[in-house]
Amino acid sequence: LYTAVCTIASLILSLLIAFPISRKYIPASGFLYVLFLCGLFLPSGLIPTFQMVLNMGLYDTKLGYMLVMTGVNATSVFFFTGYFKSIPRELDEAASIDGASQLGIFLKINLRAATPATIVVFIFSLVWNWNETTLADTYFGKSLVTLPLALQRFRDTFTRMYPVVDTQSIEAQLNQGVEMAAAVLSIIPLLLIYVLVERKLIESIDKSGITGE
């Protein structure tokens, strides 16, 4: 639930920001683009964000965690902006002459043309959100956990219960077995999603130009 909601919400926000920036429909589009570009290299601001969530009373809540995870991804905005720039503006002008609104131009022309890029960003964002344990461990207490975080805590607890003294000991072998089991359990949902969208993902990566063609 956390992964699906955060991924879809972040994807929608990134699309709605990248399109007007790429078409320069808003003032200072170039400056905003540079700001998002700088966001690729700046720290995430974990401490002030955590303080804000704490002051709002959203610590250890589903809403607080999803709000943090739904934040606009600078990488997605950068990727979508470049892709929208590659779509000819003549298509927008032709649709405008035919009476299409700006929302219609975005939904019926640009969003459809950007389907390959959207699928690629969706899959990569999905994997990142699913595997995120640092933020989940920060914004969740003991009552709420995600599956990867629960598996990580289980592994850590097992390791403390059976500390490794000798790498060839039974405890070491048990710890390795628990770690491998936890890893398999955590990637099963992603494997199922990949099996379902494998063909679309490969086609999208090829069409979006990631391969360099």
Side-chain angles (χ1 to χ4, degrees):
L1 175 62
Y2 302 128
T3 302
V5 172
C6 296
T7 301
I8 294 174
S10 179
L11 185 68
I12 294 174
L13 288 175
S14 298
L15 285 167
L16 294 177
I17 292 174
F19 178 67
I21 289 179
S22 65
R23 290 295 192 259
K24 297 183 179 180
Y25 288 153
I26 55 179
S29 298
F31 177 71
L32 292 176
Y33 180 71
V34 172
L35 284 182
F36 280 106
L37 183 61
C38 293
L40 298 174
F41 310 101
L42 296 176
S44 60
L46 178 61
I47 295 177
T49 304
F50 176 78
Q51 189 65 43
M52 181 177 63
V53 171
L54 197 63
N55 293 336
M56 295 174 64
L58 296 177
Y59 175 72
D60 199 17
T61 63
K62 297 178 181 180
L63 178 60
Y65 176 72
M66 287 190 290
L67 286 175
V68 173
M69 294 296 293
T70 305
V72 178
N73 191 326
T75 304
S76 301
V77 174
F78 177 73
F79 185 77
F80 279 132
T81 301
Y83 198 90
F84 282 132
K85 286 182 178 180
S86 67
I87 301 175
R89 295 198 62 170
E90 288 77 7
L91 297 176
D92 297 6
E93 296 171 357
S96 179
I97 292 175
D98 291 337
S101 63
Q102 292 294 338
L103 181 61
I105 293 173
F106 170 67
L107 294 177
K108 297 180 180 179
I109 297 178
N110 290 274
L111 186 58
R112 289 185 180 181
T115 299
T118 303
I119 294 176
V120 171
V121 173
F122 174 78
I123 295 298
F124 282 101
S125 298
L126 186 73
V127 173
W128 185 84
N129 288 331
W130 175 262
N131 291 326
E132 176 57 51
T133 56
T134 302
L135 293 179
D137 197 20
T138 301
Y139 293 101
F140 282 156
K142 300 296 182 181
S143 59
L144 297 173
V145 292
T146 60
L147 178 58
L149 179 59
L151 293 173
Q152 177 180 304
R153 290 180 177 178
F154 169 73
R155 182 195 62 189
D156 295 340
T157 302
F158 192 89
T159 302
R160 288 194 299 268
M161 292 175 60
Y162 302 97
V164 176
V165 179
D166 183 6
T167 57
Q168 302 299 325
S169 63
I170 297 297
E171 289 81 2
Q173 297 177 14
L174 286 174
N175 287 344
Q176 292 175 1
V178 169
E179 290 179 4
M180 292 300 102
V184 171
L185 287 175
S186 65
I187 65 174
I188 286 178
L190 296 180
L191 288 177
L192 293 177
I193 294 175
Y194 178 76
V195 170
L196 294 175
V197 302
E198 176 185 6
R199 180 176 300 178
K200 289 290 185 181
L201 177 62
I202 294 175
E203 293 176 355
S204 299
I205 290 177
D206 181 58
K207 292 180 181 178
S208 62
I210 291 181
T211 58
E213 296 180 0

